[in-house]
Amino acid sequence: MVSIVALPASAHEGDRHRTPRVEISAVQADSPGRDNRTNRSLNSEWVEITNNTRHAINLNGWTLKDEDGHRYKFNDYRLAGRSTVRVHTGEGRDNRTDLYQDRRNYVWDNRSDTATLRDDRGRTIDTESWGHHHHR
């Protein structure tokens, strides 16, 4: 008789596919409907940041940036353990689950762009790209 034991991902030594502590978990670059620059449309464009650890992480000074240099800086925000925050492009009132860049124009290119998350020391934590052609 053979028994199989499933080990948690952290039990595999040298596994390069471990879940990152903080990651860009989802991007909605193309807000649904017409791009008419209403606040509702702008806020339908967002990036989600997920904390995969059990402990809160202080994102104060961290940045989220696109390829054109538009930058959002997190200010005095703690991302709770095992939770996600959605960073919207438009205007709104920041809360535990939603942050707002307070912009009046779109940031993320619908066809291709890269979202880069950096910590307060400028180290790249995660990137998420879409629509890029690998052959130039």
Side-chain angles (χ1 to χ4, degrees), residues 48-111:
E48 286 185 345
I49 309 296
T50 298
N51 176 358
N52 294 306
T53 73
R54 285 181 287 188
H55 306 286
I57 294 179
N58 187 351
L59 299 184
N60 189 44
W62 288 39
T63 58
L64 183 62
K65 194 170 138 186
D66 75 342
E67 287 180 352
D68 292 329
H70 298 105
R71 191 174 73 142
Y72 171 74
K73 190 172 186 178
F74 291 85
N75 184 23
D76 196 30
Y77 181 79
R78 292 179 68 80
L79 182 56
R82 304 224 189 278
S83 66
T84 297
V85 65
R86 186 174 280 186
V87 181
H88 301 271
T89 297
E91 298 177 333
R93 184 180 223 135
D94 292 348
N95 61 51
R96 194 172 42 84
T97 58
D98 295 277
L99 297 173
Y100 297 86
Q101 297 191 47
D102 294 333
R103 294 183 185 272
R104 292 197 169 100
N105 286 305
Y106 298 97
V107 170
W108 309 107
D109 190 296
N110 294 352
R111 286 183 210 78

Side-chain angles (χ1 to χ4, degrees), residues 23-42:
E23 67 178 333
I24 297 171
S25 50
V27 176
Q28 182 162 285
D30 187 1
S31 58
R34 290 185 37 218
D35 286 349
N36 56 11
R37 287 192 13 211
T38 62
N39 197 50
R40 182 176 183 169
S41 179
L42 288 166

